[in-house]
Coordinates of all heavy atoms in Angstrom, one line a residue:
Chain A
M1 N 166.5 -55.7 50.0 CA 165.9 -54.5 50.4 C 165.5 -53.7 49.1 O 166.3 -53.7 48.2 CB 166.8 -53.7 51.3 CG 166.1 -52.4 51.8 SD 167.3 -51.3 52.5 CE 168.0 -50.6 51.0
E2 N 164.4 -53.2 49.2 CA 164.0 -52.4 48.0 C 163.6 -51.0 48.4 O 162.9 -50.8 49.4 CB 162.8 -53.0 47.3 CG 162.4 -52.3 46.1 CD 161.3 -53.1 45.4 OE1 160.7 -54.0 46.0 OE2 160.9 -52.6 44.3
P20 N 162.4 -41.3 52.4 CA 162.6 -42.5 51.6 C 161.8 -43.7 52.2 O 161.7 -43.8 53.4 CB 164.1 -42.8 51.7 CG 164.5 -42.1 52.9 CD 163.6 -40.9 53.1
V21 N 161.2 -44.4 51.3 CA 160.4 -45.6 51.8 C 161.2 -46.8 51.3 O 161.4 -47.1 50.1 CB 159.0 -45.6 51.1 CG1 158.2 -46.8 51.6 CG2 158.3 -44.3 51.6
I22 N 161.6 -47.6 52.3 CA 162.4 -48.8 52.0 C 161.6 -50.0 52.6 O 161.1 -49.9 53.7 CB 163.8 -48.7 52.6 CG1 164.4 -47.4 52.1 CG2 164.6 -49.9 52.2 CD1 165.7 -47.1 52.8
E23 N 161.5 -51.0 51.9 CA 160.8 -52.2 52.4 C 161.6 -53.4 52.2 O 162.2 -53.6 51.1 CB 159.4 -52.3 51.8 CG 158.5 -53.3 52.4 CD 157.1 -52.9 52.4 OE1 156.8 -51.8 51.8 OE2 156.2 -53.6 52.9
V24 N 161.5 -54.3 53.1 CA 162.2 -55.6 53.0 C 161.1 -56.7 52.9 O 160.1 -56.6 53.5 CB 163.0 -55.8 54.2 CG1 163.7 -57.2 54.2 CG2 164.1 -54.8 54.4
Y33 N 170.3 -56.3 61.1 CA 169.5 -55.1 61.1 C 169.0 -54.9 59.7 O 169.4 -55.4 58.8 CB 170.3 -53.9 61.6 CG 171.6 -53.8 60.9 CD1 171.7 -53.3 59.6 CD2 172.8 -54.2 61.5 CE1 172.9 -53.2 59.0 CE2 174.0 -54.1 60.9 CZ 174.1 -53.6 59.6 OH 175.2 -53.5 58.9
G34 N 168.0 -54.1 59.6 CA 167.5 -53.7 58.3 C 166.4 -52.8 58.5 O 165.5 -52.9 59.4
I35 N 166.3 -51.8 57.6 CA 165.3 -50.8 57.7 C 164.1 -51.3 56.9 O 164.3 -51.5 55.7 CB 165.8 -49.5 57.3 CG1 166.8 -49.0 58.3 CG2 164.6 -48.5 57.3 CD1 167.4 -47.7 57.9
T36 N 163.0 -51.4 57.4 CA 161.9 -51.7 56.6 C 161.2 -50.5 56.1 O 160.8 -50.4 54.9 CB 160.9 -52.6 57.4 OG1 160.5 -51.9 58.6 CG2 161.5 -53.9 57.8
R37 N 160.9 -49.6 56.9 CA 160.3 -48.4 56.5 C 160.8 -47.2 57.2 O 161.2 -47.2 58.4 CB 158.8 -48.5 56.8 CG 158.1 -49.4 55.9 CD 156.6 -49.5 56.2 NE 156.4 -50.0 57.5 CZ 155.2 -49.9 58.2 NH1 154.2 -49.4 57.6 NH2 155.1 -50.4 59.4
I38 N 160.9 -46.1 56.5 CA 161.2 -44.9 57.1 C 160.1 -43.9 56.8 O 159.9 -43.7 55.6 CB 162.6 -44.3 56.7 CG1 163.7 -45.3 57.0 CG2 162.9 -43.0 57.4 CD1 165.0 -44.9 56.4
I54 N 161.3 -44.5 62.4 CA 162.0 -45.5 61.6 C 161.6 -46.8 62.1 O 161.8 -47.1 63.3 CB 163.5 -45.3 61.6 CG1 163.9 -43.9 61.2 CG2 164.2 -46.4 60.8 CD1 165.4 -43.6 61.4
D55 N 161.1 -47.7 61.3 CA 160.8 -49.0 61.7 C 162.1 -49.9 61.4 O 162.6 -49.9 60.3 CB 159.7 -49.6 60.9 CG 158.4 -49.1 61.5 OD1 158.4 -48.4 62.5 OD2 157.3 -49.4 60.9
I56 N 162.5 -50.6 62.4 CA 163.6 -51.4 62.2 C 163.1 -52.9 62.2 O 162.4 -53.3 63.2 CB 164.7 -51.3 63.3 CG1 165.1 -49.8 63.4 CG2 165.8 -52.2 63.1 CD1 165.9 -49.3 62.2
Y57 N 163.5 -53.6 61.2 CA 163.0 -55.0 61.1 C 163.9 -55.9 61.8 O 165.0 -56.1 61.5 CB 162.9 -55.3 59.6 CG 162.5 -56.8 59.4 CD1 161.2 -57.2 59.5 CD2 163.5 -57.7 59.0 CE1 160.8 -58.5 59.2 CE2 163.1 -59.0 58.8 CZ 161.8 -59.4 58.9 OH 161.5 -60.7 58.6
I70 N 173.7 -49.1 66.0 CA 173.2 -48.2 64.9 C 173.4 -46.7 65.4 O 173.0 -46.4 66.5 CB 171.8 -48.4 64.5 CG1 171.7 -49.7 63.8 CG2 171.2 -47.3 63.7 CD1 170.3 -50.0 63.3
I145 N 172.2 -43.3 58.5 CA 172.1 -44.4 59.5 C 173.1 -45.4 59.2 O 173.1 -46.0 58.1 CB 170.6 -45.0 59.4 CG1 169.6 -43.8 59.5 CG2 170.4 -46.1 60.4 CD1 168.2 -44.3 59.2
V146 N 174.0 -45.7 60.1 CA 175.2 -46.5 59.8 C 175.1 -47.7 60.7 O 174.9 -47.7 61.9 CB 176.4 -45.7 60.2 CG1 177.7 -46.5 59.9 CG2 176.4 -44.4 59.4
I154 N 173.2 -47.4 55.8 CA 172.1 -48.4 55.5 C 170.8 -47.7 55.3 O 169.8 -48.3 55.1 CB 172.0 -49.4 56.6 CG1 171.7 -48.7 57.9 CG2 173.3 -50.2 56.8 CD1 171.4 -49.7 59.1
G155 N 170.8 -46.4 55.4 CA 169.6 -45.7 55.1 C 169.8 -44.2 55.3 O 170.8 -43.8 55.9
S156 N 168.8 -43.5 54.9 CA 169.0 -42.0 55.1 C 167.6 -41.4 55.1 O 166.6 -42.0 54.6 CB 169.8 -41.4 54.0 OG 169.2 -41.6 52.7
I273 N 171.3 -53.2 51.6 CA 171.7 -53.9 52.8 C 171.8 -55.4 52.5 O 171.0 -56.0 51.9 CB 170.6 -53.7 53.9 CG1 170.5 -52.2 54.2 CG2 170.9 -54.5 55.1 CD1 169.4 -51.9 55.2

Side-chain angles (χ1 to χ4, degrees):
Chain A
M1 184 192 76
E2 185 177 6
V21 178
I22 306 171
E23 190 148 359
V24 176
Y33 49 78
I35 295 176
T36 56
R37 289 179 295 170
I38 302 175
I54 304 173
D55 279 357
I56 303 294
Y57 176 76
I70 288 183
I145 305 170
V146 180
I154 62 173
S156 66
I273 298 177

